[in-house]
Amino acid sequence: MFDTETTLAYGIFWIAYCVGFVLFFYMMKALFRFLPFYGLRTLLLSVLVVLLLTPVESPEVAGWWIPAWLFSGYELVLGDTRAAADGLFNFAVASVVMLLVWLLDLVRYRLTRK
């Protein structure tokens, strides 16, 4: 497969990506705090999670994952729509799952507000 340095670089990338996402998420959460409706705030944060945290497996190396927005965008620019469809499919699945989580959160919010 790959040597230790390559695997270490892969791990460091994902750690840095996740730390960067957490910081960006909390900055956006503070920005969205001014929106008047709870449902709108949580919907925008959910979209942010789906867009930035959805992975797709690398077609070159089994077991290595890439952010889907990066992979699909790159493949669409190159014109390989078949490869980009993998990332877009992962976006669709992640969107459906996040929609269900968002709806359950709205129900929880409604029940605890009374």
Side-chain angles (χ1 to χ4, degrees), residues 16-62:
Y17 189 80
C18 290
V19 168
F21 172 77
V22 168
L23 293 174
F24 184 68
F25 182 83
Y26 280 110
M27 288 174 27
M28 294 305 288
K29 188 174 181 180
L31 182 66
F32 293 157
R33 179 184 57 187
F34 299 110
L35 295 174
F37 301 112
Y38 175 79
L40 180 61
R41 288 190 304 261
T42 55
L43 177 64
L44 290 174
L45 290 173
S46 299
V47 167
L48 184 69
V49 167
V50 167
L51 285 178
L52 295 179
L53 290 185
T54 302
V56 64
E57 190 171 10
S58 171
E60 304 296 323
V61 182

mmCIF file of all heavy atoms in Angstrom, residues 16-62:
data_model
loop_
_atom_site.group_PDB
_atom_site.id
_atom_site.type_symbol
_atom_site.label_atom_id
_atom_site.label_comp_id
_atom_site.label_asym_id
_atom_site.label_seq_id
_atom_site.Cartn_x
_atom_site.Cartn_y
_atom_site.Cartn_z
ATOM 1 N N ALA A 16 -6.519 17.952 10.693
ATOM 2 C CA ALA A 16 -6.569 19.388 10.411
ATOM 3 C C ALA A 16 -7.909 19.777 9.784
ATOM 4 O O ALA A 16 -8.473 20.831 10.108
ATOM 5 C CB ALA A 16 -5.417 19.786 9.484
ATOM 6 N N TYR A 17 -8.432 18.946 8.903
ATOM 7 C CA TYR A 17 -9.718 19.226 8.257
ATOM 8 C C TYR A 17 -10.841 19.250 9.290
ATOM 9 O O TYR A 17 -11.687 20.149 9.276
ATOM 10 C CB TYR A 17 -9.993 18.166 7.187
ATOM 11 C CG TYR A 17 -11.188 18.464 6.311
ATOM 12 C CD1 TYR A 17 -11.080 19.359 5.255
ATOM 13 C CD2 TYR A 17 -12.416 17.854 6.545
ATOM 14 C CE1 TYR A 17 -12.163 19.637 4.450
ATOM 15 C CE2 TYR A 17 -13.510 18.131 5.743
ATOM 16 C CZ TYR A 17 -13.378 19.021 4.699
ATOM 17 O OH TYR A 17 -14.461 19.305 3.914
ATOM 18 N N CYS A 18 -10.854 18.288 10.198
ATOM 19 C CA CYS A 18 -11.906 18.230 11.219
ATOM 20 C C CYS A 18 -11.793 19.388 12.211
ATOM 21 O O CYS A 18 -12.811 19.973 12.603
ATOM 22 C CB CYS A 18 -11.865 16.890 11.936
ATOM 23 S SG CYS A 18 -12.398 15.530 10.888
ATOM 24 N N VAL A 19 -10.589 19.731 12.632
ATOM 25 C CA VAL A 19 -10.407 20.879 13.536
ATOM 26 C C VAL A 19 -10.847 22.165 12.837
ATOM 27 O O VAL A 19 -11.547 23.001 13.433
ATOM 28 C CB VAL A 19 -8.946 20.965 14.013
ATOM 29 C CG1 VAL A 19 -8.663 22.291 14.703
ATOM 30 C CG2 VAL A 19 -8.624 19.804 14.942
ATOM 31 N N GLY A 20 -10.468 22.325 11.581
ATOM 32 C CA GLY A 20 -10.902 23.493 10.816
ATOM 33 C C GLY A 20 -12.412 23.544 10.667
ATOM 34 O O GLY A 20 -13.019 24.618 10.766
ATOM 35 N N PHE A 21 -13.039 22.380 10.459
ATOM 36 C CA PHE A 21 -14.495 22.361 10.346
ATOM 37 C C PHE A 21 -15.151 22.771 11.657
ATOM 38 O O PHE A 21 -16.124 23.535 11.654
ATOM 39 C CB PHE A 21 -15.009 20.985 9.933
ATOM 40 C CG PHE A 21 -16.494 20.898 9.988
ATOM 41 C CD1 PHE A 21 -17.260 21.470 8.996
ATOM 42 C CD2 PHE A 21 -17.146 20.313 11.063
ATOM 43 C CE1 PHE A 21 -18.653 21.447 9.055
ATOM 44 C CE2 PHE A 21 -18.517 20.286 11.136
ATOM 45 C CZ PHE A 21 -19.270 20.846 10.125
ATOM 46 N N VAL A 22 -14.649 22.260 12.779
ATOM 47 C CA VAL A 22 -15.241 22.605 14.078
ATOM 48 C C VAL A 22 -15.149 24.111 14.320
ATOM 49 O O VAL A 22 -16.132 24.739 14.756
ATOM 50 C CB VAL A 22 -14.565 21.804 15.212
ATOM 51 C CG1 VAL A 22 -14.940 22.340 16.576
ATOM 52 C CG2 VAL A 22 -14.934 20.332 15.104
ATOM 53 N N LEU A 23 -14.007 24.701 14.029
ATOM 54 C CA LEU A 23 -13.868 26.152 14.198
ATOM 55 C C LEU A 23 -14.819 26.911 13.271
ATOM 56 O O LEU A 23 -15.490 27.858 13.701
ATOM 57 C CB LEU A 23 -12.426 26.566 13.927
ATOM 58 C CG LEU A 23 -11.386 26.069 14.933
ATOM 59 C CD1 LEU A 23 -9.990 26.435 14.463
ATOM 60 C CD2 LEU A 23 -11.667 26.629 16.303
ATOM 61 N N PHE A 24 -14.885 26.505 12.013
ATOM 62 C CA PHE A 24 -15.783 27.144 11.054
ATOM 63 C C PHE A 24 -17.242 26.970 11.460
ATOM 64 O O PHE A 24 -18.042 27.903 11.352
ATOM 65 C CB PHE A 24 -15.542 26.573 9.657
ATOM 66 C CG PHE A 24 -16.338 27.229 8.581
ATOM 67 C CD1 PHE A 24 -16.089 28.535 8.214
ATOM 68 C CD2 PHE A 24 -17.335 26.533 7.923
ATOM 69 C CE1 PHE A 24 -16.822 29.152 7.220
ATOM 70 C CE2 PHE A 24 -18.076 27.140 6.925
ATOM 71 C CZ PHE A 24 -17.816 28.458 6.571
ATOM 72 N N PHE A 25 -17.598 25.785 11.967
ATOM 73 C CA PHE A 25 -18.969 25.505 12.394
ATOM 74 C C PHE A 25 -19.379 26.454 13.524
ATOM 75 O O PHE A 25 -20.471 27.023 13.501
ATOM 76 C CB PHE A 25 -19.088 24.048 12.835
ATOM 77 C CG PHE A 25 -20.461 23.651 13.257
ATOM 78 C CD1 PHE A 25 -21.415 23.290 12.325
ATOM 79 C CD2 PHE A 25 -20.825 23.639 14.596
ATOM 80 C CE1 PHE A 25 -22.686 22.922 12.701
ATOM 81 C CE2 PHE A 25 -22.093 23.270 14.993
ATOM 82 C CZ PHE A 25 -23.024 22.915 14.042
ATOM 83 N N TYR A 26 -18.504 26.621 14.526
ATOM 84 C CA TYR A 26 -18.857 27.498 15.642
ATOM 85 C C TYR A 26 -18.902 28.968 15.225
ATOM 86 O O TYR A 26 -19.699 29.742 15.756
ATOM 87 C CB TYR A 26 -17.915 27.284 16.824
ATOM 88 C CG TYR A 26 -18.314 26.052 17.607
ATOM 89 C CD1 TYR A 26 -17.541 24.909 17.599
ATOM 90 C CD2 TYR A 26 -19.500 26.030 18.336
ATOM 91 C CE1 TYR A 26 -17.924 23.780 18.286
ATOM 92 C CE2 TYR A 26 -19.899 24.913 19.024
ATOM 93 C CZ TYR A 26 -19.110 23.793 18.998
ATOM 94 O OH TYR A 26 -19.508 22.675 19.689
ATOM 95 N N MET A 27 -18.073 29.361 14.272
ATOM 96 C CA MET A 27 -18.167 30.725 13.761
ATOM 97 C C MET A 27 -19.490 30.940 13.029
ATOM 98 O O MET A 27 -20.143 31.981 13.193
ATOM 99 C CB MET A 27 -16.991 31.017 12.823
ATOM 100 C CG MET A 27 -15.680 31.178 13.542
ATOM 101 S SD MET A 27 -14.219 31.365 12.504
ATOM 102 C CE MET A 27 -14.788 32.067 11.013
ATOM 103 N N MET A 28 -19.896 29.965 12.225
ATOM 104 C CA MET A 28 -21.165 30.087 11.507
ATOM 105 C C MET A 28 -22.344 30.015 12.473
ATOM 106 O O MET A 28 -23.351 30.694 12.277
ATOM 107 C CB MET A 28 -21.279 29.003 10.439
ATOM 108 C CG MET A 28 -20.257 29.138 9.323
ATOM 109 S SD MET A 28 -20.268 30.749 8.526
ATOM 110 C CE MET A 28 -21.788 30.653 7.629
ATOM 111 N N LYS A 29 -22.211 29.208 13.512
ATOM 112 C CA LYS A 29 -23.279 29.124 14.513
ATOM 113 C C LYS A 29 -23.472 30.477 15.193
ATOM 114 O O LYS A 29 -24.610 30.902 15.423
ATOM 115 C CB LYS A 29 -22.926 28.049 15.537
ATOM 116 C CG LYS A 29 -24.019 27.738 16.492
ATOM 117 C CD LYS A 29 -23.641 26.560 17.362
ATOM 118 C CE LYS A 29 -24.762 26.239 18.312
ATOM 119 N NZ LYS A 29 -24.444 25.109 19.172
ATOM 120 N N ALA A 30 -22.375 31.159 15.499
ATOM 121 C CA ALA A 30 -22.479 32.491 16.095
ATOM 122 C C ALA A 30 -23.087 33.484 15.107
ATOM 123 O O ALA A 30 -23.853 34.365 15.498
ATOM 124 C CB ALA A 30 -21.099 32.959 16.537
ATOM 125 N N LEU A 31 -22.768 33.336 13.833
ATOM 126 C CA LEU A 31 -23.331 34.229 12.814
ATOM 127 C C LEU A 31 -24.827 33.963 12.621
ATOM 128 O O LEU A 31 -25.619 34.901 12.495
ATOM 129 C CB LEU A 31 -22.592 34.037 11.486
ATOM 130 C CG LEU A 31 -23.012 34.920 10.325
ATOM 131 C CD1 LEU A 31 -22.670 36.377 10.627
ATOM 132 C CD2 LEU A 31 -22.316 34.470 9.055
ATOM 133 N N PHE A 32 -25.225 32.697 12.616
ATOM 134 C CA PHE A 32 -26.632 32.336 12.416
ATOM 135 C C PHE A 32 -27.480 32.614 13.652
ATOM 136 O O PHE A 32 -28.706 32.531 13.583
ATOM 137 C CB PHE A 32 -26.771 30.859 12.045
ATOM 138 C CG PHE A 32 -26.199 30.506 10.696
ATOM 139 C CD1 PHE A 32 -25.809 29.211 10.420
ATOM 140 C CD2 PHE A 32 -26.054 31.445 9.704
ATOM 141 C CE1 PHE A 32 -25.288 28.868 9.188
ATOM 142 C CE2 PHE A 32 -25.528 31.127 8.466
ATOM 143 C CZ PHE A 32 -25.147 29.827 8.208
ATOM 144 N N ARG A 33 -26.863 32.928 14.777
ATOM 145 C CA ARG A 33 -27.602 33.198 16.004
ATOM 146 C C ARG A 33 -28.590 34.343 15.827
ATOM 147 O O ARG A 33 -29.624 34.400 16.490
ATOM 148 C CB ARG A 33 -26.588 33.525 17.107
ATOM 149 C CG ARG A 33 -27.179 33.863 18.432
ATOM 150 C CD ARG A 33 -26.113 34.253 19.390
ATOM 151 N NE ARG A 33 -25.358 35.372 18.817
ATOM 152 C CZ ARG A 33 -24.268 35.872 19.341
ATOM 153 N NH1 ARG A 33 -23.778 35.357 20.432
ATOM 154 N NH2 ARG A 33 -23.655 36.889 18.773
ATOM 155 N N PHE A 34 -28.313 35.227 14.900
ATOM 156 C CA PHE A 34 -29.163 36.397 14.699
ATOM 157 C C PHE A 34 -30.394 36.103 13.843
ATOM 158 O O PHE A 34 -31.257 36.963 13.710
ATOM 159 C CB PHE A 34 -28.351 37.531 14.076
ATOM 160 C CG PHE A 34 -27.219 37.970 14.958
ATOM 161 C CD1 PHE A 34 -25.908 37.705 14.608
ATOM 162 C CD2 PHE A 34 -27.471 38.618 16.160
ATOM 163 C CE1 PHE A 34 -24.865 38.087 15.420
ATOM 164 C CE2 PHE A 34 -26.431 39.014 16.985
ATOM 165 C CZ PHE A 34 -25.128 38.740 16.616
ATOM 166 N N LEU A 35 -30.476 34.926 13.261
ATOM 167 C CA LEU A 35 -31.664 34.569 12.481
ATOM 168 C C LEU A 35 -32.832 34.310 13.426
ATOM 169 O O LEU A 35 -32.660 33.730 14.496
ATOM 170 C CB LEU A 35 -31.385 33.339 11.616
ATOM 171 C CG LEU A 35 -30.332 33.545 10.529
ATOM 172 C CD1 LEU A 35 -30.033 32.238 9.831
ATOM 173 C CD2 LEU A 35 -30.795 34.587 9.533
ATOM 174 N N PRO A 36 -34.043 34.720 13.041
ATOM 175 C CA PRO A 36 -35.157 34.695 13.990
ATOM 176 C C PRO A 36 -35.740 33.316 14.301
ATOM 177 O O PRO A 36 -36.318 33.136 15.358
ATOM 178 C CB PRO A 36 -36.206 35.582 13.313
ATOM 179 C CG PRO A 36 -35.881 35.516 11.868
ATOM 180 C CD PRO A 36 -34.407 35.338 11.775
ATOM 181 N N PHE A 37 -35.608 32.337 13.424
ATOM 182 C CA PHE A 37 -36.277 31.056 13.625
ATOM 183 C C PHE A 37 -35.276 29.948 13.903
ATOM 184 O O PHE A 37 -34.271 29.804 13.203
ATOM 185 C CB PHE A 37 -37.119 30.680 12.400
ATOM 186 C CG PHE A 37 -38.161 31.703 12.075
ATOM 187 C CD1 PHE A 37 -38.068 32.467 10.930
ATOM 188 C CD2 PHE A 37 -39.236 31.907 12.917
ATOM 189 C CE1 PHE A 37 -39.022 33.422 10.621
ATOM 190 C CE2 PHE A 37 -40.197 32.852 12.631
ATOM 191 C CZ PHE A 37 -40.093 33.613 11.483
ATOM 192 N N TYR A 38 -35.594 29.133 14.907
ATOM 193 C CA TYR A 38 -34.729 28.014 15.276
ATOM 194 C C TYR A 38 -34.579 27.034 14.118
ATOM 195 O O TYR A 38 -33.480 26.556 13.842
ATOM 196 C CB TYR A 38 -35.318 27.304 16.506
ATOM 197 C CG TYR A 38 -34.555 26.061 16.893
ATOM 198 C CD1 TYR A 38 -33.378 26.159 17.602
ATOM 199 C CD2 TYR A 38 -35.013 24.802 16.523
ATOM 200 C CE1 TYR A 38 -32.661 25.021 17.951
ATOM 201 C CE2 TYR A 38 -34.307 23.662 16.859
ATOM 202 C CZ TYR A 38 -33.138 23.780 17.587
ATOM 203 O OH TYR A 38 -32.427 22.669 17.909
ATOM 204 N N GLY A 39 -35.676 26.743 13.435
ATOM 205 C CA GLY A 39 -35.643 25.797 12.330
ATOM 206 C C GLY A 39 -34.731 26.246 11.197
ATOM 207 O O GLY A 39 -34.013 25.442 10.614
ATOM 208 N N LEU A 40 -34.744 27.530 10.899
ATOM 209 C CA LEU A 40 -33.881 28.063 9.839
ATOM 210 C C LEU A 40 -32.412 27.980 10.243
ATOM 211 O O LEU A 40 -31.556 27.593 9.440
ATOM 212 C CB LEU A 40 -34.270 29.510 9.521
ATOM 213 C CG LEU A 40 -33.455 30.207 8.444
ATOM 214 C CD1 LEU A 40 -33.594 29.471 7.109
ATOM 215 C CD2 LEU A 40 -33.882 31.652 8.310
ATOM 216 N N ARG A 41 -32.112 28.326 11.503
ATOM 217 C CA ARG A 41 -30.729 28.248 11.988
ATOM 218 C C ARG A 41 -30.202 26.829 11.905
ATOM 219 O O ARG A 41 -29.097 26.590 11.404
ATOM 220 C CB ARG A 41 -30.640 28.730 13.433
ATOM 221 C CG ARG A 41 -30.800 30.203 13.603
ATOM 222 C CD ARG A 41 -30.463 30.640 15.006
ATOM 223 N NE ARG A 41 -31.213 29.961 16.038
ATOM 224 C CZ ARG A 41 -32.282 30.453 16.642
ATOM 225 N NH1 ARG A 41 -32.738 31.626 16.303
ATOM 226 N NH2 ARG A 41 -32.898 29.767 17.590
ATOM 227 N N THR A 42 -30.975 25.873 12.387
ATOM 228 C CA THR A 42 -30.503 24.491 12.386
ATOM 229 C C THR A 42 -30.467 23.904 10.980
ATOM 230 O O THR A 42 -29.609 23.068 10.691
ATOM 231 C CB THR A 42 -31.369 23.614 13.310
ATOM 232 O OG1 THR A 42 -32.739 23.721 12.924
ATOM 233 C CG2 THR A 42 -31.186 24.019 14.757
ATOM 234 N N LEU A 43 -31.361 24.347 10.102
ATOM 235 C CA LEU A 43 -31.315 23.879 8.715
ATOM 236 C C LEU A 43 -30.025 24.337 8.028
ATOM 237 O O LEU A 43 -29.358 23.547 7.355
ATOM 238 C CB LEU A 43 -32.523 24.378 7.933
ATOM 239 C CG LEU A 43 -32.551 24.006 6.451
ATOM 240 C CD1 LEU A 43 -32.646 22.491 6.289
ATOM 241 C CD2 LEU A 43 -33.696 24.691 5.744
ATOM 242 N N LEU A 44 -29.651 25.592 8.220
ATOM 243 C CA LEU A 44 -28.421 26.094 7.615
ATOM 244 C C LEU A 44 -27.191 25.382 8.172
ATOM 245 O O LEU A 44 -26.254 25.064 7.425
ATOM 246 C CB LEU A 44 -28.320 27.601 7.813
ATOM 247 C CG LEU A 44 -29.314 28.434 7.022
ATOM 248 C CD1 LEU A 44 -29.212 29.905 7.420
ATOM 249 C CD2 LEU A 44 -29.114 28.256 5.541
ATOM 250 N N LEU A 45 -27.180 25.106 9.468
ATOM 251 C CA LEU A 45 -26.060 24.363 10.045
ATOM 252 C C LEU A 45 -26.028 22.924 9.536
ATOM 253 O O LEU A 45 -24.950 22.363 9.309
ATOM 254 C CB LEU A 45 -26.142 24.387 11.573
ATOM 255 C CG LEU A 45 -25.865 25.742 12.214
ATOM 256 C CD1 LEU A 45 -26.137 25.698 13.709
ATOM 257 C CD2 LEU A 45 -24.446 26.204 11.938
ATOM 258 N N SER A 46 -27.190 22.333 9.324
ATOM 259 C CA SER A 46 -27.254 20.978 8.777
ATOM 260 C C SER A 46 -26.723 20.928 7.351
ATOM 261 O O SER A 46 -26.004 20.001 6.977
ATOM 262 C CB SER A 46 -28.691 20.453 8.806
ATOM 263 O OG SER A 46 -29.175 20.398 10.121
ATOM 264 N N VAL A 47 -27.070 21.922 6.563
ATOM 265 C CA VAL A 47 -26.559 21.995 5.191
ATOM 266 C C VAL A 47 -25.036 22.143 5.212
ATOM 267 O O VAL A 47 -24.326 21.506 4.422
ATOM 268 C CB VAL A 47 -27.228 23.161 4.428
ATOM 269 C CG1 VAL A 47 -26.512 23.459 3.130
ATOM 270 C CG2 VAL A 47 -28.690 22.854 4.184
ATOM 271 N N LEU A 48 -24.539 22.923 6.131
ATOM 272 C CA LEU A 48 -23.098 23.097 6.273
ATOM 273 C C LEU A 48 -22.409 21.774 6.601
ATOM 274 O O LEU A 48 -21.379 21.433 6.019
ATOM 275 C CB LEU A 48 -22.817 24.132 7.356
ATOM 276 C CG LEU A 48 -21.380 24.527 7.589
ATOM 277 C CD1 LEU A 48 -20.869 25.323 6.398
ATOM 278 C CD2 LEU A 48 -21.271 25.338 8.855
ATOM 279 N N VAL A 49 -22.999 21.005 7.504
ATOM 280 C CA VAL A 49 -22.428 19.706 7.870
ATOM 281 C C VAL A 49 -22.423 18.769 6.671
ATOM 282 O O VAL A 49 -21.423 18.103 6.389
ATOM 283 C CB VAL A 49 -23.210 19.093 9.055
ATOM 284 C CG1 VAL A 49 -22.849 17.633 9.261
ATOM 285 C CG2 VAL A 49 -22.948 19.875 10.325
ATOM 286 N N VAL A 50 -23.528 18.708 5.945
ATOM 287 C CA VAL A 50 -23.604 17.807 4.783
ATOM 288 C C VAL A 50 -22.595 18.219 3.713
ATOM 289 O O VAL A 50 -21.884 17.377 3.164
ATOM 290 C CB VAL A 50 -25.040 17.776 4.207
ATOM 291 C CG1 VAL A 50 -25.067 17.107 2.845
ATOM 292 C CG2 VAL A 50 -25.969 17.055 5.163
ATOM 293 N N LEU A 51 -22.506 19.505 3.432
ATOM 294 C CA LEU A 51 -21.606 19.959 2.371
ATOM 295 C C LEU A 51 -20.135 19.705 2.698
ATOM 296 O O LEU A 51 -19.356 19.331 1.822
ATOM 297 C CB LEU A 51 -21.813 21.442 2.097
ATOM 298 C CG LEU A 51 -23.062 21.805 1.331
ATOM 299 C CD1 LEU A 51 -23.158 23.323 1.178
ATOM 300 C CD2 LEU A 51 -23.092 21.142 -0.024
ATOM 301 N N LEU A 52 -19.747 19.905 3.942
ATOM 302 C CA LEU A 52 -18.324 19.836 4.260
ATOM 303 C C LEU A 52 -17.867 18.499 4.840
ATOM 304 O O LEU A 52 -16.669 18.208 4.796
ATOM 305 C CB LEU A 52 -17.959 20.970 5.223
ATOM 306 C CG LEU A 52 -18.111 22.368 4.640
ATOM 307 C CD1 LEU A 52 -17.752 23.414 5.674
ATOM 308 C CD2 LEU A 52 -17.281 22.539 3.395
ATOM 309 N N LEU A 53 -18.756 17.700 5.396
ATOM 310 C CA LEU A 53 -18.321 16.464 6.051
ATOM 311 C C LEU A 53 -18.690 15.188 5.314
ATOM 312 O O LEU A 53 -18.369 14.103 5.791
ATOM 313 C CB LEU A 53 -18.874 16.390 7.474
ATOM 314 C CG LEU A 53 -18.275 17.366 8.467
ATOM 315 C CD1 LEU A 53 -18.823 17.104 9.857
ATOM 316 C CD2 LEU A 53 -16.766 17.317 8.480
ATOM 317 N N THR A 54 -19.342 15.288 4.180
ATOM 318 C CA THR A 54 -19.684 14.081 3.427
ATOM 319 C C THR A 54 -18.432 13.555 2.719
ATOM 320 O O THR A 54 -17.822 14.273 1.938
ATOM 321 C CB THR A 54 -20.775 14.380 2.388
ATOM 322 O OG1 THR A 54 -21.915 14.889 3.069
ATOM 323 C CG2 THR A 54 -21.150 13.129 1.628
ATOM 324 N N PRO A 55 -18.059 12.297 2.993
ATOM 325 C CA PRO A 55 -16.867 11.745 2.335
ATOM 326 C C PRO A 55 -17.238 10.872 1.142
ATOM 327 O O PRO A 55 -18.386 10.454 0.975
ATOM 328 C CB PRO A 55 -16.251 10.890 3.430
ATOM 329 C CG PRO A 55 -17.436 10.364 4.166
ATOM 330 C CD PRO A 55 -18.481 11.472 4.118
ATOM 331 N N VAL A 56 -16.243 10.600 0.313
ATOM 332 C CA VAL A 56 -16.371 9.648 -0.785
ATOM 333 C C VAL A 56 -15.062 8.860 -0.823
ATOM 334 O O VAL A 56 -13.997 9.411 -0.573
ATOM 335 C CB VAL A 56 -16.674 10.354 -2.130
ATOM 336 C CG1 VAL A 56 -15.548 11.248 -2.561
ATOM 337 C CG2 VAL A 56 -16.994 9.350 -3.203
ATOM 338 N N GLU A 57 -15.173 7.570 -1.101
ATOM 339 C CA GLU A 57 -13.974 6.743 -1.135
ATOM 340 C C GLU A 57 -13.184 7.002 -2.412
ATOM 341 O O GLU A 57 -13.747 7.131 -3.493
ATOM 342 C CB GLU A 57 -14.330 5.263 -1.039
ATOM 343 C CG GLU A 57 -13.118 4.383 -0.834
ATOM 344 C CD GLU A 57 -13.464 2.946 -0.526
ATOM 345 O OE1 GLU A 57 -14.636 2.566 -0.655
ATOM 346 O OE2 GLU A 57 -12.539 2.199 -0.162
ATOM 347 N N SER A 58 -11.892 7.065 -2.254
ATOM 348 C CA SER A 58 -11.007 7.311 -3.394
ATOM 349 C C SER A 58 -11.067 6.146 -4.376
ATOM 350 O O SER A 58 -10.956 4.994 -3.974
ATOM 351 C CB SER A 58 -9.573 7.492 -2.904
ATOM 352 O OG SER A 58 -8.688 7.527 -3.993
ATOM 353 N N PRO A 59 -11.226 6.430 -5.671
ATOM 354 C CA PRO A 59 -11.216 5.334 -6.649
ATOM 355 C C PRO A 59 -9.805 4.779 -6.870
ATOM 356 O O PRO A 59 -9.639 3.672 -7.363
ATOM 357 C CB PRO A 59 -11.767 5.982 -7.916
ATOM 358 C CG PRO A 59 -11.506 7.425 -7.753
ATOM 359 C CD PRO A 59 -11.532 7.702 -6.284
ATOM 360 N N GLU A 60 -8.799 5.547 -6.492
ATOM 361 C CA GLU A 60 -7.414 5.128 -6.692
ATOM 362 C C GLU A 60 -6.918 4.211 -5.582
ATOM 363 O O GLU A 60 -6.168 3.276 -5.830
ATOM 364 C CB GLU A 60 -6.498 6.356 -6.776
ATOM 365 C CG GLU A 60 -6.886 7.341 -7.844
ATOM 366 C CD GLU A 60 -6.774 6.759 -9.240
ATOM 367 O OE1 GLU A 60 -5.840 5.979 -9.484
ATOM 368 O OE2 GLU A 60 -7.634 7.081 -10.071
ATOM 369 N N VAL A 61 -7.307 4.504 -4.329
ATOM 370 C CA VAL A 61 -6.799 3.765 -3.166
ATOM 371 C C VAL A 61 -7.981 3.337 -2.312
ATOM 372 O O VAL A 61 -8.717 4.173 -1.795
ATOM 373 C CB VAL A 61 -5.844 4.652 -2.328
ATOM 374 C CG1 VAL A 61 -5.299 3.862 -1.153
ATOM 375 C CG2 VAL A 61 -4.731 5.197 -3.185
ATOM 376 N N ALA A 62 -8.158 2.039 -2.165
ATOM 377 C CA ALA A 62 -9.256 1.519 -1.346
ATOM 378 C C ALA A 62 -9.014 1.870 0.122
ATOM 379 O O ALA A 62 -7.906 1.763 0.635
ATOM 380 C CB ALA A 62 -9.368 0.015 -1.513
#
